[in-house]
Amino acid sequence: MASSSGNDDDLTIPRAAINKMIKETLPNVRVANDARELVVNCCTEFIHLISSEANEICNKSEKKTISPEHVINALESLGFASYITEVKDVLQECKTVALKKRKASSRLENLGIPEEELLRQQQELFAKRTRNAGVLDLTARIVYESAVV
Amino acid sequence: MSGNNVGEKVDANTVNSKNISLPMSRVKLIMKSSPDVSSINQDALFLTTKATELFVQHLAQCSFKKGAGREKNTLAYSDLAHVAEETETFQFLTDILPKKILARDYLRSLEERGEDGDD
């Protein structure tokens, strides 16, 4: 549904996402269409506001990339300090989830084989196999050879 | 923000649908269309996206609470415009509000000026 207009000024958050948020925030409230449209535009304006401020802070710090710290300082200086705790919490939550996913997929928990043993077997296989064997292939072979052994 | 979790960048795949409703890719496009903005760290993008969500909720709630439509359970354009003018944090929004004036004020000013429509 993304429009392919090249005009930067037309960039807005999808209406459906805004409608959903409004509905969740104000359940049972009838919201006029022009009000919804306005909220969409306010979003864009807000994003520009935060970006510009964060960018200025970033420039002053002589860094090239806008960092989370810059965004937080921007929120603070623009009067949105009340958002800071929650945004930080959600970010931390997401990172924790990401970290757990990574650990889970590397542990091969289902085998019940300790990680060191798996590593040892993997080393042996690395030595045996050609370079072309993909990682998945190796893993599959570890599983197979362990089962056979 | 400490650099401990440098390896665990949050991207669109790791984001739980419970955590975030707005599309980060679109937020990024909007940020980049701001003059001078070059590169944005992925976590910074996440924070901005989340902050924007909170902003929408905050704006909607404030407008409704202070708005005229509260008793009828409605939210109108004027409620939003009103809160933008009256609340300091939302004042930046007055830039994008066309200068709507109340119909009765307009009619009154028309009467006062006679036939000359001056706007």
Side-chain angles (χ1 to χ4, degrees):
Chain A
M1 236 173 158
S3 68
S4 47
S5 108
N7 190 352
D8 279 348
D9 289 339
D10 289 345
L11 279 180
T12 54
I13 299 291
R15 180 76 169 252
I18 300 294
N19 284 344
K20 184 174 173 221
M21 289 188 63
I22 294 177
K23 176 109 194 229
E24 284 167 2
T25 308
L26 301 174
N28 307 321
V29 174
R30 195 174 307 148
V31 181
N33 266 335
D34 58 355
R36 292 177 192 275
E37 186 67 28
L38 181 58
V39 174
V40 169
N41 293 329
C42 289
C43 260
T44 304
E45 200 65 18
F46 177 79
I47 294 169
H48 281 309
L49 185 74
I50 301 298
S51 319
S52 301
E53 184 71 13
N55 194 48
E56 250 188 66
I57 294 172
C58 178
N59 289 338
K60 283 187 192 153
S61 74
E62 290 173 4
K63 299 217 172 117
K64 287 192 182 157
T65 306
I66 296 177
S67 75
E69 203 64 51
H70 300 146
V71 173
I72 288 176
N73 290 339
L75 286 171
E76 178 115 40
S77 77
L78 291 165
F80 296 105
S82 57
Y83 299 175
I84 293 177
T85 312
E86 190 169 343
V87 299
K88 271 170 120 173
D89 283 349
V90 177
L91 178 62
Q92 197 49 51
E93 224 180 281
C94 273
K95 283 173 180 282
T96 312
V97 168
L99 190 59
K100 278 187 186 158
K101 276 188 182 167
R102 278 234 176 91
K103 282 189 174 167
S105 65
S106 72
R107 208 177 278 143
L108 299 170
E109 276 160 347
N110 299 336
L111 293 182
I113 297 179
E115 202 167 343
E116 292 118 5
E117 175 60 12
L118 282 171
L119 265 167
R120 189 195 67 76
Q121 292 178 3
Q122 192 183 54
Q123 297 303 328
E124 280 180 8
L125 284 166
F126 264 113
K128 281 187 208 167
R129 303 297 176 208
T130 64
R131 289 211 177 152
N132 291 336
V135 172
L136 269 174
D137 188 44
L138 273 174
T139 311
R141 284 171 207 280
I142 291 173
V143 171
Y144 174 72
E145 299 208 13
S146 312
V148 167
V149 165
Chain B
M1 205 148 250
S2 71
N4 292 354
N5 294 325
V6 156
E8 309 306 335
K9 290 264 149 74
V10 173
D11 62 17
N13 293 331
T14 56
V15 161
N16 194 332
S17 61
K18 284 186 222 156
N19 287 329
I20 206 161
S21 308
L22 300 180
M24 290 210 306
S25 53
R26 188 65 65 89
V27 175
K28 184 169 189 176
L29 283 173
I30 297 172
M31 287 179 90
K32 292 208 140 186
S33 73
S34 258
D36 301 333
V37 170
S38 48
S39 50
I40 307 147
N41 165 289
Q42 195 67 8
D43 289 350
L45 174 61
F46 180 89
L47 286 179
T48 308
T49 307
K50 192 64 198 169
T52 309
E53 279 185 30
L54 294 181
F55 169 76
V56 170
Q57 290 166 359
H58 186 197
L59 179 63
Q61 274 168 351
C62 256
S63 307
F64 183 62
K65 265 192 225 166
K66 300 184 179 181
R70 196 175 174 192
E71 276 149 45
K72 293 172 274 170
N73 238 18
T74 59
L75 185 70
Y77 183 101
S78 54
D79 296 328
L80 290 165
H82 218 71
V83 102
E85 275 159 29
E86 313 248 308
T87 315
E88 201 179 324
T89 13
F90 294 135
Q91 240 153 43
F92 71 97
L93 295 171
T94 53
D95 288 345
I96 58 165
L97 291 171
K99 296 212 187 302
K100 274 192 177 184
I101 58 177
L102 291 174
R104 64 164 181 268
D105 290 345
Y106 178 65
L107 289 173
R108 195 182 303 145
S109 73
L110 269 188
E111 282 169 18
E112 285 167 3
R113 285 180 210 160
E115 239 100 32
D116 290 313
D118 223 335
D119 42 309

